[in-house]
């Protein structure tokens, strides 16, 4: 705890030194002072550019999107005047736009900006991570200033779910060639309810209300997202009153359960954690080893111990909350005896040190995790314990993301993903062989033709029953040939000052949370109580 307090002091000092106008204290609304809020998060985004993947699910406060999600995740109009319906052949969606929206620089938002946004995502030279979700989109056309037509190459049932992407200004970004280096990434011009005031890298992002917002200026302003990567240090900042709200692991949030003026809030999610197993590793490249580890891990114990009950076992990438698509028959039991038999039958012989080997190859591997993430660290340690019990030696290594990325093709990694919106999202890029080795998409180069076929069938199917069958098949195939050790679905846990009205409106959350999703998903609708 001493180190956490030292880190906290350093971070607060850094904030005040680099941005004297940024808020540095929490609980302001509850105390009856400023209506600004300070939110503690574990990480900051790499950029704030929607076409490069920022907040694709309608959670951005800086940008408006055509559609947004309500509390129940249903789609509602935002820039669009209504939720569009497909044409009879399923190939065309026509969107009518509001005519009273302006960007933060005063320029009007028109159909041309919508066309520019989606065409940029599809441009191969941009290398947008969202391009895979829009593969069915053939063309975007502005019919006039307030009408946009999306034309698909083939029917794609979840297409309206991808109309939640923030719209960027063509007049600012036209002609951009260096998308990684463009100033817009950290100095965005949007049309959303908030505008960026300052960004101190590794420390804080400060937003203020957009006074000219078409739907009315938010009451809560300014908003400071204070970045503290270490979970313990972030809890210390919350305890010291420096934050109005924070995302915390369940174990660290327990200390705030009975603190006057604070609420511990839990949210259901589609956010899973698991161990990605690289296919080119001499040990995890063996199907028998992957199957054995899948049986050896005790998921229930991880939920109870690591998550303090704030979650549920994970057996695949389709969350139980997606009830129409979840396949319960793909669930596996904890069976270390069966795991040992699989390894023995595959020729992995137990040695005198209780570690197996085959043909001179020792059954050992390294599991990496991002340092400071206590949940991923504890999950990795739990997997190491379970693996050792069946004769596989796992070393756990906490590293920076910069150190992790070059090793993802050869070392296992605790990863997190998950979407509550549609089973196609994220899973296609994670497990389809066409994405093998593309950064965080399929970093282990998993290649299974049956999985590819299930993903392709789910993406192209139009009828509900056909999609359900495809994703049922996907989960069954992944259980038989696991690319990951799917471990747990998390409940997201937050501590929030009770000085705010609106923070208790719940949504089932995606993997991405903290800066975007969280109790503050509807922050523009909050107000200070009292």
């Amino acid at each position: 705890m001493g180190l956490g307090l030292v880190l906290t002091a350093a971070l607060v000092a850094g904030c005040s030194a680099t941005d004297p106008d940024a808020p540095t204290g929490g609980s302001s609304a509850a105390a009856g002072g400023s209506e600004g809020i300070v939110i503690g998060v574990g990480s900051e985004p790499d950029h704030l550019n929607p076409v490069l993947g920022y907040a694709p699910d309608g959670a951005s406060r800086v940008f408006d999107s055509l559609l947004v999600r309500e509390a129940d995740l249903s789609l509602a109009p935002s820039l669009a005047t209504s939720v569009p319906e497909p044409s009879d052949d399923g190939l065309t969606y026509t969107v009518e736009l509001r005519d009273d929206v302006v960007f933060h620089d005063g320029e009007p938002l028109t159909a041309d900006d919508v066309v520019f946004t989606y065409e940029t995502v599809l441009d191969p030279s941009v290398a947008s991570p969202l391009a895979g979700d829009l593969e069915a989109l053939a063309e975007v056309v502005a019919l006039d200033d307030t009408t946009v037509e999306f034309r698909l190459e083939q029917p794609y049932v979840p297409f309206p779910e991808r109309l939640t992407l923030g719209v960027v200004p063509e007049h600012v970004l036209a002609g951009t060639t260096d998308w990684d280096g463009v100033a817009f990434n950290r100095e965005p011009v949007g049309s959303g309810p908030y505008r960026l005031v300052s960004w101190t890298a590794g420390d804080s992002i400060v937003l203020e209300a957009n006074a000219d917002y078409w739907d009315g200026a938010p009451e809560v302003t300014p908003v400071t997202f204070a970045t503290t990567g270490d979970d313990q240090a972030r809890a210390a900042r919350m305890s010291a009153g420096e934050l109005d709200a924070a995302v915390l692991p369940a174990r660290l949030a327990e200390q705030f359960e009975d603190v006057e003026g604070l609420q511990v809030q839990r949210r259901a999610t589609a956010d899973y954690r698991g161990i990605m197993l690289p296919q080119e590793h001499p040990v995890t490249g063996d199907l028998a080893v992957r199957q054995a580890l899948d049986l050896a891990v005790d998921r229930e114990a991880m939920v109870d111990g690591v998550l303090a009950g704030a979650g549920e076992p994970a057996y695949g990438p389709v969350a139980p909350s997606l009830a129409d698509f979840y396949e319960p028959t793909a669930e596996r039991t904890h069976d270390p005896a069966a795991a040992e038999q699989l390894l023995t039958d595959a020729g992995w012989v137990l040695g005198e040190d209780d570690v197996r080997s085959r043909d001179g190859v020792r059954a050992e591997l390294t599991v990496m995790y991002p340092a400071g993430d206590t949940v991923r660290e504890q999950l990795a340690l739990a997997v190491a314990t379970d693996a050792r019990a069946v004769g596989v030696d796992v070393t756990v290594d906490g590293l920076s993301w910069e150190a992790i990325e070059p090793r993802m093709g050869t070392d296992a990694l605790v990863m997190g993903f998950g979407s509550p919106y549609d089973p196609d999202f994220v899973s296609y890029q994670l497990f389809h062989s066409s994405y093998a080795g593309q950064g965080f998409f399929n970093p282990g180069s998993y290649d299974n033709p049956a999985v590819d076929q299930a993903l392709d069938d789910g993406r192209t199917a139009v009828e509900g029953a056909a999609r359900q069958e495809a994703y049922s098949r996907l989960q069954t195939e992944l259980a038989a040939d696991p690319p990951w050790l799917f471990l747990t679905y998390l409940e997201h846990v937050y501590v929030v000052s009770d000085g705010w009205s609106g923070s208790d409106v719940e949504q089932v959350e995606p993997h991405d949370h903290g800066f975007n999703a969280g109790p503050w998903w509807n922050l523009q609708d909050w107000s200070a109580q009292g």
Side-chain angles (χ1 to χ4, degrees), residues 45 63 69 74 95 99 111 139 150 220 222 226 234 241 259 275 281 310 314 345 403 416 436 449 502:
F63 297 90
R69 289 191 171 86
S74 62
V95 178
D99 61 4
E139 188 179 18
F150 293 88
V220 179
R234 194 162 61 258
V259 175
I275 310 290
H281 190 279
D345 291 346

Side-chain angles (χ1 to χ4, degrees), residues 366-384:
T366 296
V367 173
M368 304 180 292
Y369 71 91
D373 188 322
T374 58
V375 169
R376 296 196 199 203
E377 176 186 20
Q378 291 165 14
L379 287 172
L381 290 170
V383 167

Side-chain angles (χ1 to χ4, degrees), residues 408-425:
M408 291 191 300
T410 54
D411 284 317
L413 172 63
V414 186
M415 296 185 70
F417 278 101
S419 169
Y421 312 121
D422 191 271
D424 176 71
F425 297 165

Side-chain angles (χ1 to χ4, degrees), residues 322-359:
L322 280 166
D324 289 344
F325 297 101
Y326 184 68
E327 180 50 71
T329 64
E331 297 177 2
R332 280 86 77 195
T333 58
H334 171 52
D335 194 343
E340 290 188 86
Q341 190 61 55
L342 269 173
L343 291 168
T344 299
D345 291 346
W348 292 94
V349 179
L350 199 63
E352 293 182 359
D353 60 352
D354 293 328
V355 175
R356 296 174 181 270
S357 62
R358 185 179 69 181
D359 299 331

Side-chain angles (χ1 to χ4, degrees), residues 436-519:
Q438 295 188 26
F440 287 96
F441 289 154
N442 195 358
S445 297
Y446 181 68
D447 185 352
N448 182 323
V451 167
D452 286 354
Q453 188 64 59
L455 288 165
D456 289 335
D457 291 346
R459 175 163 280 195
T460 57
V462 175
E463 297 298 328
R467 297 196 81 223
Q468 289 174 339
E469 188 278 331
Y471 290 112
S472 173
R473 186 164 19 105
L474 169 68
Q475 294 164 81
T476 301
E477 294 291 348
L478 291 175
D481 180 11
W484 287 35
L485 302 178
F486 296 96
L487 300 176
T488 62
Y489 279 94
L490 276 62
E491 284 183 354
H492 293 162
V493 183
Y494 307 91
V495 180
V496 184
S497 165
D498 61 10
W500 304 99
S501 174
S503 72
D504 57 350
V505 181
E506 297 189 17
Q507 264 189 343
V508 177
E509 295 183 357
H511 165 66
D512 182 20
H513 68 292
F515 187 76
N516 294 317

